Amino acid sequence: MNKFITLENEHLKTVISTLGAGIYQIYLKSNQEIPVLVTNTNPDDYLTSTNYYGKSIGRISGRLFGPNYQLNQHVYDVECNPNSPFMLHGGKDGLWIKTFDVVSQKSDEVILAYVDPETNTFPGELSVRVWYRLVNKTVHIEYQAQGTKDTLCNLTNHVYFNLNIDGGDILDHHLMLNARKYNVLDDQYRFIKQANVAQTPFDFIQPKPLRNGVLALLDTAQKGLDHCFITNSNHVGSLFDPKTQRRLNVYSNYPSVVIYTHNFISKKPLNTSVPQGVHSSITFECQYEPDGIHHPILNSAILKKNEPYHHFIDFEFEF
Ligand code: G6D
């Protein structure tokens, strides 16, 4: 049974869901409580949404292509999504749909835990802990995991930000990314090669409105930004809304970040006036590169038996 848990300090209020160890909403506390996440208006829709609003994603994030992968001379079948050549975000039994236990809870922090059982796709049990902590104007996320066998592990969070939800879509938000390379994808999202962002719609080394980059990709299979950027700093990037002067700075010790500008529709009602949520918001899915096990140039996301997995993502707000 899911529980919604509210964490609060003098600057932020955050609503956490035990189902999917997710973030349902983040409020900036100024003269009012300002929501900055696009999400389902109905909490029940949120729990089962395959737009993964705010959910913890794992064991793998992004697309793991089938029919299988090899690890330690053993071939593991990939349980692909229906009518897909890949598993997306851990598949139908991914962490996004699992109910986590509350291990400890204070007014401004909570630790959630879940033991993911062995499956045909993922060897061994994986013990996962997700720690949410409010520190001044930062939502701090820590992932800890440990497996009983060598396995794949690539955990992230799938929140969709809009710093001015009442202002419509995010195309006039300014994005900056500390990333000089991105992963080129084909129409099925298979990794083709790494390429420089310079002089492409993926160049956000200097902050600029999202509009031109997103609209330049409308006719691609991705219909906007839905790509993995190779970051060159723990400061992943920043999002700025010129109308409200609000800013989000993202920090992580992951080597890459998937940026997705909500290019596909939501069939369920959202807290935005943007029709079906298209381009209403933007994710910063800090992670290892998707499908890395199949491409030696990428990080494989292999977690060795009993090796500690420890990553963080910080969402720091200025307002
Ligand atoms: C679509 O391709 C996108 C993914 O990147 C995203 O995570 C998902 O919708 C919610 O499948």
Side-chain angles (χ1 to χ4, degrees), residues 8-9 11 22 57 91 98 105 116 122 130-131 140 147 159 178 203 214 217 221 223-224 239 266-267 272 302 312:
E8 192 161 3
N9 69 6
H11 302 294
I57 302 291
K98 300 299 183 184
Q105 182 179 343
D116 193 46
F122 298 116
V130 182
W131 184 10
H140 176 79
V159 282
N178 279 317
D203 185 351
V214 171
L217 300 167
K223 301 183 187 304
L239 183 68
S266 170
K267 297 188 177 86
T272 170
I302 293 172
F312 78 90

Side-chain angles (χ1 to χ4, degrees), residues 124-137:
E125 276 190 352
L126 183 75
S127 298
V128 178
R129 284 198 170 202
V130 182
W131 184 10
Y132 288 110
R133 185 155 50 108
L134 304 186
V135 181
N136 297 320
K137 294 186 177 182

Side-chain angles (χ1 to χ4, degrees), residues 173-177 204 206-208 210 225 238-239 282 284:
H173 278 52
H174 295 192
L175 174 66
M176 184 284 287
L177 288 177
F204 291 94
Q206 294 303 319
K208 68 173 72 161
L210 277 158
L225 292 174
S238 294
L239 183 68
I282 182 171
F284 288 84

Side-chain angles (χ1 to χ4, degrees), residues 49-53 57 62-63 81 86 88-89 158 160 185 189 221-222 225-227 258-265 283 285:
S49 169
T50 51
N51 278 321
Y52 308 90
Y53 295 102
I57 302 291
R63 290 163 169 78
N81 283 48
F86 50 74
L88 176 64
H89 293 337
H158 206 294
Y160 290 77
L185 304 172
Y189 284 78
Q222 285 75 27
L225 292 174
D226 196 356
H227 295 77
V258 170
I259 300 290
Y260 174 53
T261 47
H262 203 311
N263 312 318
F264 299 102
I265 66 165
T283 71
E285 303 156 62

Side-chain angles (χ1 to χ4, degrees), residues 146-151 302-308:
Q146 194 156 323
T148 58
K149 295 180 183 174
D150 294 0
T151 185
I302 293 172
L303 178 65
K304 303 296 282 178
K305 172 183 173 183
N306 297 328
E307 178 187 277

Side-chain angles (χ1 to χ4, degrees), residues 26-278:
I26 299 174
Y27 298 91
L28 309 184
K29 294 169 65 173
S30 60
N31 52 356
Q32 56 184 319
E33 291 184 348
I34 301 158
V36 291
L37 301 184
V38 166
T39 189
N40 294 106
T41 44
N42 180 336
D44 290 339
D45 291 338
Y46 165 82
L47 296 177
T48 57
S49 169
T50 51
N51 278 321
Y52 308 90
Y53 295 102
K55 292 297 187 58
S56 288
I57 302 291
R59 288 194 193 185
I60 55 98
S61 296
R63 290 163 169 78
L64 170 66
F65 275 82
N68 53 53
Y69 69 92
Q70 184 168 331
L71 176 56
N72 300 333
Q73 288 75 46
H74 187 102
V75 174
Y76 294 95
D77 293 333
V78 175
E79 185 176 353
C80 295
N81 283 48
N83 309 314
S84 295
F86 50 74
M87 166 191 276
L88 176 64
H89 293 337
K92 65 176 176 52
D93 295 320
L95 298 183
W96 65 281
I97 200 73
K98 300 299 183 184
T99 298
F100 283 61
D101 295 322
V102 178
V103 176
S104 83
Q105 182 179 343
K106 298 178 182 172
S107 60
D108 58 0
E109 65 174 82
V110 66
I111 300 178
L112 303 168
Y114 175 73
V115 178
D116 193 46
E118 179 167 73
T119 61
N120 292 334
T121 301
F122 298 116
E125 276 190 352
L126 183 75
S127 298
V128 178
R129 284 198 170 202
V130 182
W131 184 10
Y132 288 110
R133 185 155 50 108
L134 304 186
V135 181
N136 297 320
K137 294 186 177 182
T138 297
V139 177
H140 176 79
I141 309 174
E142 272 186 56
Y143 297 107
Q144 296 173 349
Q146 194 156 323
T148 58
K149 295 180 183 174
D150 294 0
T151 185
L152 297 184
C153 188
N154 187 13
L155 312 178
T156 193
N157 183 281
H158 206 294
V159 282
Y160 290 77
F161 291 102
N162 183 318
L163 300 175
N164 181 20
I165 290 176
D166 293 341
D169 66 38
I170 38 98
L171 297 180
D172 294 322
H173 278 52
H174 295 192
L175 174 66
M176 184 284 287
L177 288 177
N178 279 317
R180 297 193 175 281
K181 290 187 180 298
Y182 75 102
N183 288 352
V184 179
L185 304 172
D186 70 11
D187 287 356
Q188 285 197 321
Y189 284 78
R190 287 182 194 276
F191 171 77
I192 296 175
K193 63 179 179 180
Q194 261 171 21
N196 293 320
V197 301
Q199 281 84 47
T200 75
F202 302 94
D203 185 351
F204 291 94
I205 294 171
Q206 294 303 319
K208 68 173 72 161
L210 277 158
R211 183 175 299 279
N212 294 347
V214 171
L215 298 186
L217 300 167
L218 277 188
D219 294 337
T220 67
Q222 285 75 27
K223 301 183 187 304
L225 292 174
D226 196 356
H227 295 77
C228 179
F229 291 78
I230 309 307
T231 48
N232 48 34
S233 157
N234 271 6
H235 179 197
V236 172
S238 294
L239 183 68
F240 176 70
D241 173 48
K243 288 179 197 149
T244 62
Q245 297 289 299
R246 294 168 195 150
R247 183 183 302 275
L248 165 70
N249 301 312
V250 182
Y251 301 90
S252 179
N253 62 344
Y254 277 118
S256 70
V257 61
V258 170
I259 300 290
Y260 174 53
T261 47
H262 203 311
N263 312 318
F264 299 102
I265 66 165
S266 170
K267 297 188 177 86
K268 300 288 176 108
L270 300 172
N271 63 333
T272 170
S273 60
V274 177
Q276 296 181 298
V278 174

